[in-house]
Amino acid sequence: MSEKLRSLFQKYGLWFFIGLILAGHTIGVVVYCVDRQLQPDTLSTPQYEIQPADPAELTFDLEQNKAYSAEDGVVVIEPVSSAAQLAQAASITNDPETIWEEDQVVTYNSFTLPDKVEQEDGSLGVLTIPEIGLSVNVFGAKQGEELEAMTQGLAHFSHTSSWDGNIGICGHNVNFDLSDGYFKNLHQLKKGDKLTYSTSLGERTYEVELSKTIAEDDWSYLGRTGENKITLITCISGQPTKRLVVQAAEVK
């Protein structure tokens, strides 16, 4: 019996294995096709919807007034060159030449520029101190040119505010011709005395907080302040290296 089986295997064994392989392949194909038919549509290859382009990924062609995205593929945009094209490009934003002309803000961080209050005659305002019988114009002066401004009246320190914040003003106590300067009697002011300062922006009343002698190179009292103040400086007769400073704060 075993001899007969061995003979049959030698004669038909190779074709038996080939048949098994073909049968397995056929069954696999049939199962795959049936499975594909039975699966719901949601399991089919997904179809991706076109999403709106991200504004950050857009490219603008100013000449054609058109925006391109990655969906447009490779796009060659010619550079803007003509005067008309440059003008069109500039119109996208405000004209930088007119930005400051339209600016109506007079004060930045408690600092008012002198040109916001300057009058046609060059004066910025009028300082009035009833206690010493003084009422005089204050003139704008470039840094280092205060002496020239003091030939007309009092001089404004250009690096200080002209309205909001700390206003710095200087004047002679004695003029070069030995006549009395506007600040001759400034030393008479004491704490609590009132003074007023008026400009094109309005008028404010201040109250003296301090009056003291400082070194000629002490500019600390002219620094910027969040509070509205006025700081007056003059020379001291017989003490060329000293100065008198009087500082007053706005009366609320």
Side-chain angles (χ1 to χ4, degrees):
M1 184 68 179
S2 60
E3 192 67 32
K4 187 177 181 179
L5 289 174
R6 186 182 298 109
S7 177
L8 288 172
F9 180 78
Q10 290 176 347
K11 185 175 181 180
Y12 299 107
L14 179 61
W15 291 108
F16 177 75
F17 285 112
I18 292 175
L20 286 176
I21 293 172
L22 291 175
H25 178 72
T26 301
I27 293 172
V29 171
V30 172
V31 171
Y32 174 77
C33 292
V34 172
D35 183 63
R36 290 281 295 174
Q37 292 295 325
L38 295 176
Q39 286 183 15
D41 293 339
T42 56
L43 297 180
S44 60
T45 303
Q47 301 299 309
Y48 296 97
E49 296 181 359
I50 298 177
Q51 300 295 328
D54 186 343
E57 298 178 353
L58 295 178
T59 300
F60 292 92
D61 184 348
L62 296 177
E63 183 176 4
Q64 300 297 325
N65 194 26
K66 183 178 180 181
Y68 298 97
S69 69
E71 298 296 331
D72 298 298
V74 178
V75 179
V76 178
I77 300 177
E78 297 297 328
V80 179
S81 57
S82 70
Q85 292 168 339
L86 289 173
Q88 180 183 0
S91 66
I92 295 177
T93 58
N94 291 328
D95 183 354
E97 297 296 328
T98 62
I99 288 177
W100 293 110
E101 292 179 5
E102 299 172 358
D103 180 18
Q104 300 300 315
V105 179
V106 298
T107 296
Y108 303 86
N109 297 324
S110 296
F111 188 93
T112 307
L113 295 171
D115 60 7
K116 296 296 184 178
V117 298
E118 187 173 13
Q119 304 297 306
E120 292 184 1
D121 62 356
S123 65
L124 306 182
V126 177
L127 177 66
T128 301
I129 310 177
E131 192 69 27
I132 58 176
L134 178 68
S135 184
V136 59
N137 286 335
V138 177
F139 290 87
K142 295 181 180 179
Q143 190 167 356
E145 298 181 2
E146 289 83 8
L147 288 177
E148 181 178 349
M150 282 191 284
T151 61
Q152 300 174 280
L154 300 177
H156 171 257
F157 286 106
S158 61
H159 65 282
T160 68
S161 178
S162 62
W163 181 240
D164 291 324
N166 188 15
I167 305 170
I169 297 174
C170 60
H172 288 305
N173 67 328
V174 178
N175 296 319
F176 291 122
D177 61 2
L178 301 182
S179 61
D180 293 341
Y182 291 111
F183 277 171
K184 176 186 177 181
N185 297 318
L186 191 64
H187 65 281
Q188 296 179 6
L189 293 181
K190 58 187 181 298
K191 187 174 181 178
D193 287 340
K194 302 291 196 302
L195 56 92
T196 61
Y197 187 60
S198 60
T199 71
S200 59
L201 298 177
E203 180 177 288
R204 286 178 177 151
T205 298
Y206 301 81
E207 184 176 298
V208 175
E209 290 185 324
L210 67 85
S211 177
K212 63 182 297 186
T213 299
I214 59 174
E216 63 176 340
D217 57 356
D218 182 359
W219 307 108
S220 61
Y221 292 93
L222 295 176
R224 295 191 185 185
T225 62
E227 182 182 6
N228 292 329
K229 293 189 176 185
I230 193 164
T231 303
L232 313 176
I233 295 179
T234 190
C235 295
I236 299 177
S237 298
Q239 301 184 56
T241 62
K242 301 293 183 180
R243 297 291 184 271
L244 172 68
V245 59
V246 173
Q247 191 170 67
E250 181 186 10
V251 177
K252 300 298 185 179

